[in-house]
Amino acid sequence: MTVTELPHKEQALFRSALLYEASQYKKGLKVSEQILKKFPDHGETLSVKGMFLAHLERKEEGYELMERGLKINPQSSISWHVYGLVCRSDKKYVQAIKCYEEALKADSENMHILREVASLYVQMRQYSKAVECREKLTAMNPFFPSFWLGLATAHHMNGRYDLAIKVISAHELGNNQPPLDKYMISELSLYKNWLIELNGDYQQALEHLKEIRPQIVDITGWKEKKARLLLKADRKEAAATAFQDLLERNSENDDYITGYMECNGLDMKCDEDQDAVLEVIGTLQQQFPSSNRLRFLPLMYSTGDNFAVAAESLAKYALRKGIPSLFSSVRVLYADKAKGAALGTLIESCATQIRDTKRFSDSTDDEPASVLLWCNYYLAQHYDYYGDHERALTLIEEAIRSSPKTIEPYMIKARILKHAGDFRGARDTMDYARQQDVGDRYLTTKFIKYMLRVDEVDEAEKTYLLFVNEDAPHKIQEIVNMQATWYMNERGHAYRRMGDIGRALKHYHQAISVFDTYQDDQYDFHQYSVRKVTLRSYIDILEWEATVYENPAYQTAARAAAECYLELADRKASCNTFVPIEIEKDDKPLTRNGSAQQGQQNLAAGVGETKVYDVEKDPNGTKFVESDNLAEALKLAEHLESVAASNPDTHVLAFEVHLRMQKYFLVLKAINALKAIDATHPALPSMVVRLSQALDTDESFAAALKVPLRAQLAKSFGAVDITTGTAESIDSVLAAAKSMLAMGNGDQAAALLVQTPEAKYAEGRTLLKLLEAKRLLAKSGADESTQAAFGATAKTVFPLATCF
């Protein structure tokens, strides 16, 4: 018999079972089982038991019980609520929202459900629904700050700044419980002022800013608002004074300098304003002579003799001060070939003057011996930038000899060796630099990168463990928790080079999960930030989260993982299935007590951490290898299409995935998307040819559907040859070779690839492109003599390289 209402005794037990907020899952499970012994078909108790099981890692059983409870009592607010809680915990936000909405049909005034679903609406950017939900909460308790502040931010994100202002105006002076402290009042006042600014009423915003001045704790923030509002209100003279005040606080701030220029009617990006900009910068330099930013800016906007004068002033200042970052600071100028050459000539001249006379030509005093060191240090980077690695090495060796204990030259030497193709020498040099200061985390980080680039993954891990707290119960899991995406990606690349696709995928997915965590973690701020009244930062977080997947580290990991899945799929199709490589027992330290084997002994003795961590559940990446490889690649490609549509590589990847899945209209869509971004992209010809070939050979695809596809290809591209552009572009050669390999034409690919080190490809030819050509040549099945000939020719381009 189905029971909807429990007797009084069992009802009291049921209420005591709802202890999930305190995470007392085992106790709650016992109580729910006690009730179900008497009333096995009580829907709400079944749902609550399912929730406890789900939180105790028995998810499948838990979901089954919750669904059974809902079938018994589909009108129960509690059953829908707990189902929504579990879905939210499992990051199933859309399903959680549906559950909460069903719960509200039965209990529309439930404050807990309303708060939770409001946060979910914001999480999923459903701002209009968030507004409705917050309005209900505010009507229920208008004196609770979190409710009306949440409503104001919902209006803000929904684009209704006027309504957000009205909400704050109606409640900010009310009898709020709990009351706002002075910091909260300061933040709220500045937030309201921001809303007035966003609403376009700059004069009112200025009047309000003056009004709230006694309440403000963030004085710098208030002054920045004042300067910006005065400029927007076209009160340029007053704005100039305000920006002048800010520059006295911080003369290195670009926003302050740009704002001051705008007050003078100047646009720093406009060529016509350059002379006037330089004049104003000169005036500011006199007022703030210690500002490094003002010392650098003239180089950005001057040319010819003016540039030479500004560059000489900056260079001599930096060389005398011994500033190692001089080249890094001016590297942006090297985009202008004339400026890059002028800087090299200038530092060469400085070095010559110091060698010959120990002083600069305009000085009467001898310079410190370190000036020549920093001249050579700069010039080594200069020649490295232009690819003259031998000259760069000669200069950096001279710098090292002049000061053997200075660490920076060793780091630059390692970088030069890396660019020259001597990865092992680069690794050893960086190790020497690290040994000079083992406590320097930056040096250790660089050394780890260099180890991974020579595929020393185990040694790199041991070194990385230096960053982990000695008291960490599981050091390898701690590495993952540190969310160092650079390490995860580099380790994935290393395993991929070694042919261990399973572990490569594991590390790429670790990097991807970091960004998923960033996305999920914003949920905690929807209530926390409103409660703490950090509203400006909260809005910034929401806007930043919209771009989180645009991060290059995410896109690198996602593309690499998708390419690994495609490789696995290709191997399965050719009956050459990849088998996960088993891990050695002693390779992974499972506890702080030592290696895996020692860890097992310690666990048996009752010592150390006994919890099985996620990182050790699948050490070989077997679950990734055994998954539906094309389906997984498709997920990654589709997500990249939604978050990185402006990146050409996204559409090249989408093409590869859809072609293998025989989704030819989507293949054409990827081709057209790539053409829209870059009509001269080197991969376009080969992509068109491969689609045409697929249409010719795939008899399972309807002939009637082939007609419009062929017509569109002919209209957009005409007659295309796969070797288009390969006579002059190494990028075209690589793209054509990849397509030839995909079509089974290994000999043709090898014939193209073996030419890549030749002089005709000098423009655009880099070490990485030649290494890619080497990899593809090996994949083409070329014989040893052909590969040896390629290596010998490549060595003439990079004579210091050890990787050919």
Side-chain angles (χ1 to χ4, degrees):
M1 182 179 70
T2 302
V3 177
T4 55
E5 292 290 336
L6 291 170
H8 179 74
K9 179 181 177 182
E10 281 71 23
Q11 187 65 36
L13 276 175
F14 180 75
R15 284 195 296 270
S16 72
L18 298 178
L19 298 169
Y20 52 85
E21 291 292 349
S23 302
Q24 297 179 7
Y25 304 132
K26 290 183 179 179
K27 182 177 178 181
L29 180 62
K30 288 180 181 178
V31 173
S32 59
E33 287 176 339
Q34 185 179 343
I35 297 170
L36 289 170
K37 284 180 181 178
K38 290 187 178 180
F39 304 98
D41 291 326
H42 185 245
E44 291 180 344
T45 306
L46 285 169
S47 295
V48 171
K49 180 183 177 182
M51 177 191 67
F52 292 136
L53 290 173
H55 284 302
L56 291 169
E57 302 301 326
R58 294 163 65 183
K59 289 190 181 293
E60 188 175 341
E61 188 179 350
Y63 273 104
E64 184 180 335
L65 279 177
M66 287 187 291
E67 288 167 4
R68 182 179 158 200
L70 282 170
K71 284 181 182 178
I72 293 172
N73 189 357
Q75 307 302 319
S76 169
S77 172
I78 292 176
S79 294
W80 283 112
H81 188 186
V82 296
Y83 199 176
L85 285 170
V86 175
C87 290
R88 188 198 74 190
S89 176
D90 290 341
K91 318 300 183 188
K92 300 176 182 177
Y93 298 125
V94 174
Q95 192 172 347
I97 287 174
K98 292 177 181 177
C99 293
Y100 285 133
E101 288 174 342
E102 290 293 330
L104 287 171
K105 290 178 183 178
D107 187 2
S108 61
E109 302 297 315
N110 190 307
M111 196 174 292
H112 291 292
I113 299 175
L114 285 168
R115 291 178 70 177
E116 289 165 12
V117 76
S119 295
L120 283 171
Y121 284 141
V122 178
Q123 181 82 5
M124 301 308 294
R125 303 303 189 259
Q126 298 178 18
Y127 295 123
S128 57
K129 289 186 176 181
V131 167
E132 294 175 14
C133 205
R134 301 282 192 192
E135 283 176 339
K136 285 184 182 178
L137 286 166
T138 304
M140 292 167 65
N141 188 350
F143 300 112
F144 189 54
S146 289
F147 289 170
W148 57 265
L149 288 171
L151 176 58
T153 56
H155 279 310
H156 180 163
M157 295 307 296
N158 203 35
R160 292 301 306 272
Y161 309 124
D162 54 333
L163 295 179
I165 294 166
K166 285 181 181 178
V167 169
I168 293 176
S169 299
H171 294 86
E172 62 182 333
L173 299 177
N175 185 25
N176 291 301
Q177 294 297 328
L180 304 179
D181 62 31
K182 67 175 183 178
Y183 299 103
M184 293 178 176
I185 292 170
S186 173
E187 278 294 307
L188 179 59
S189 299
L190 286 172
Y191 176 64
K192 182 180 178 181
N193 187 267
W194 184 27
L195 289 170
I196 298 171
E197 178 189 353
L198 291 173
N199 205 37
D201 195 340
Y202 304 132
Q203 189 56 44
Q204 185 187 343
L206 278 168
E207 292 170 4
H208 177 259
L209 196 65
K210 184 178 180 180
E211 228 176 84
I212 63 175
R213 175 62 184 84
Q215 304 169 359
I216 301 303
V217 177
D218 180 6
I219 303 302
T220 301
W222 184 89
K223 290 190 173 190
E224 289 174 345
K225 291 283 290 181
K226 179 184 176 182
R228 185 168 62 245
L229 286 170
L230 285 167
L231 184 58
K232 288 185 175 181
D234 204 27
R235 294 169 57 182
K236 292 185 177 179
E237 189 174 340
T241 302
F243 276 113
Q244 181 83 21
D245 183 31
L246 288 168
L247 283 167
E248 288 174 1
R249 285 173 166 257
N250 181 6
S251 59
E252 306 289 344
N253 190 303
D254 272 345
D255 291 336
Y256 299 168
I257 297 170
T258 302
Y260 187 79
M261 292 292 177
E262 290 177 7
C263 294
N264 286 275
L266 301 174
D267 182 354
M268 296 177 74
K269 296 179 181 179
C270 177
D271 292 338
E272 295 176 358
D273 290 345
Q274 297 308 302
D275 291 339
V277 166
L278 287 169
E279 186 178 342
V280 174
I281 290 174
T283 303
L284 290 174
Q285 278 183 306
Q286 293 175 5
Q287 297 177 43
F288 308 106
S290 63
S291 172
N292 289 321
R293 189 60 183 164
L294 289 171
R295 191 177 286 111
F296 170 76
L297 282 176
L299 278 70
M300 294 286 292
Y301 303 108
S302 60
T303 56
D305 292 341
N306 289 335
F307 175 80
V309 171
E312 184 175 2
S313 173
L314 174 66
K316 288 180 178 178
Y317 169 82
L319 292 171
R320 284 172 174 144
K321 287 282 187 181
I323 299 175
S325 60
L326 175 59
F327 183 82
S328 300
S329 299
V330 301
R331 181 170 175 162
V332 65
L333 301 173
Y334 276 65
D336 184 327
K337 292 182 179 179
K339 288 185 177 182
L343 285 166
T345 302
L346 170 64
I347 305 299
E348 286 275 18
S349 174
C350 290
T352 301
Q353 292 169 34
I354 297 299
R355 285 194 190 96
D356 294 345
T357 65
K358 297 185 180 180
R359 66 185 64 169
F360 294 126
S361 58
D362 59 351
S363 175
T364 58
D365 298 324
D366 288 354
E367 300 294 341
S370 62
V371 170
L372 184 57
L373 159 68
W374 297 116
C375 284
N376 289 329
Y377 182 82
Y378 180 97
L379 288 169
Q381 296 174 82
H382 171 83
Y383 285 109
D384 179 50
Y385 179 88
Y386 286 114
D388 190 348
H389 302 120
E390 291 174 283
R391 173 69 173 147
L393 272 178
T394 300
L395 287 162
I396 204 63
E397 290 286 5
E398 184 179 340
I400 289 172
R401 285 194 298 273
S402 66
S403 182
K405 293 185 179 180
T406 304
I407 295 175
E408 285 83 1
Y410 293 102
M411 297 173 63
I412 296 304
K413 181 181 177 181
R415 183 189 300 169
I416 294 167
L417 289 170
K418 179 187 73 172
H419 293 165
D422 185 0
F423 300 135
R424 172 62 58 179
R427 177 252 185 235
D428 294 342
T429 304
M430 187 59 74
D431 186 23
Y432 183 84
R434 182 184 72 97
Q435 295 295 342
Q436 307 312 300
D437 186 359
V438 293
D440 190 313
R441 295 173 71 90
Y442 177 76
L443 285 172
T444 303
T445 296
K446 295 298 290 184
F447 176 52
I448 292 168
K449 278 189 177 182
Y450 279 62
M451 279 197 290
L452 288 172
R453 285 167 184 164
V454 293
D455 302 337
E456 293 182 352
V457 289
D458 293 332
E459 291 80 358
E461 182 179 273
K462 291 172 184 175
T463 307
Y464 198 98
L465 287 173
L466 296 172
F467 294 145
V468 177
N469 194 310
E470 284 293 328
D471 296 329
H474 192 291
K475 292 186 175 181
I476 304 305
Q477 182 65 44
E478 193 70 16
I479 289 177
V480 177
N481 294 343
M482 290 169 74
Q483 299 184 327
T485 53
W486 64 266
Y487 175 76
M488 297 167 181
N489 280 337
E490 289 288 351
R491 195 170 168 90
H493 297 336
Y495 276 125
R496 192 178 175 190
R497 287 191 296 268
M498 295 161 67
D500 194 341
I501 304 176
R503 289 199 191 101
L505 277 169
K506 177 177 179 177
H507 289 285
Y508 289 139
H509 276 285
Q510 286 176 355
I512 290 169
S513 70
V514 169
F515 294 92
D516 293 336
T517 301
Y518 291 161
Q519 191 75 6
D520 292 333
D521 281 354
Q522 67 178 301
Y523 182 86
D524 297 328
F525 291 95
H526 299 319
Q527 292 186 29
Y528 175 84
S529 295
V530 173
R531 188 169 72 251
K532 293 295 185 181
V533 200
T534 54
L535 304 178
R536 293 181 297 161
S537 299
Y538 173 57
I539 298 299
D540 286 343
I541 286 174
L542 293 181
E543 292 174 348
W544 174 79
E545 288 285 359
T547 64
V548 68
Y549 289 111
E550 294 175 13
N551 189 294
Y554 168 77
Q555 294 184 32
T556 296
R559 278 198 304 273
E563 289 166 0
C564 286
Y565 281 124
L566 291 178
E567 184 177 348
L568 289 171
D570 290 344
R571 292 183 64 160
K572 287 179 183 177
S574 61
C575 301
N576 183 27
T577 303
F578 174 80
V579 178
I581 301 170
E582 290 297 322
I583 193 170
E584 294 292 334
K585 276 190 176 182
D586 289 335
D587 277 0
K588 300 289 181 186
L590 294 180
T591 72
R592 62 185 171 192
N593 302 301
S595 67
Q597 193 172 18
Q598 292 168 336
Q600 295 300 327
Q601 294 168 356
N602 288 325
L603 295 179
V607 180
E609 176 62 62
T610 59
K611 179 181 177 181
V612 177
Y613 287 84
D614 290 339
V615 74
E616 50 184 22
K617 289 180 181 177
D618 183 21
N620 309 318
T622 304
K623 74 173 183 178
F624 302 113
V625 174
E626 295 178 351
S627 65
D628 185 339
N629 301 143
L630 283 180
E632 293 300 319
L634 180 62
K635 288 178 189 175
L636 293 166
E638 287 179 338
H639 192 244
L640 283 170
E641 285 181 302
S642 67
V643 300
S646 61
N647 189 332
D649 292 339
T650 295
H651 304 292
V652 174
L653 175 64
F655 166 88
E656 296 289 349
V657 175
H658 295 313
L659 188 66
R660 285 166 174 78
M661 301 184 79
Q662 299 174 308
K663 297 180 178 180
Y664 299 124
F665 283 98
L666 292 177
V667 172
L668 180 60
K669 179 184 174 184
I671 293 174
N672 287 333
L674 179 59
K675 183 184 178 184
I677 296 171
D678 182 3
T680 62
H681 194 281
L684 272 174
S686 55
M687 290 165 71
V688 172
V689 170
R690 287 177 65 191
L691 175 55
S692 298
Q693 186 199 55
L695 292 174
D696 291 340
T697 57
D698 188 353
E699 297 179 359
S700 65
F701 192 67
L705 295 177
K706 292 181 180 180
V707 175
L709 283 169
R710 288 197 178 102
Q712 184 62 47
L713 283 177
K715 180 180 178 181
S716 299
F717 301 97
V720 177
D721 187 86
I722 198 169
T723 59
T724 299
T726 57
E728 60 278 342
S729 167
I730 190 171
D731 292 318
S732 296
V733 171
L734 294 174
K738 288 176 185 177
S739 293
M740 290 173 178
L741 290 172
M743 294 187 293
N745 300 327
D747 292 341
Q748 292 181 33
L752 274 178
L753 291 166
V754 77
Q755 303 175 40
T756 51
E758 295 178 2
K760 62 181 177 179
Y761 297 117
E763 186 176 350
R765 180 182 56 198
T766 65
L767 177 68
L768 292 180
K769 289 175 184 176
L770 288 182
L771 286 174
E772 176 68 0
K774 176 188 175 185
R775 183 186 71 82
L776 293 173
L777 189 62
K779 190 176 179 181
S780 72
D783 57 43
E784 290 185 6
S785 61
T786 302
Q787 294 187 53
F790 170 87
T793 312
K795 283 279 286 183
T796 64
V797 181
F798 292 94
L800 301 175
T802 60
C803 51
F804 294 114

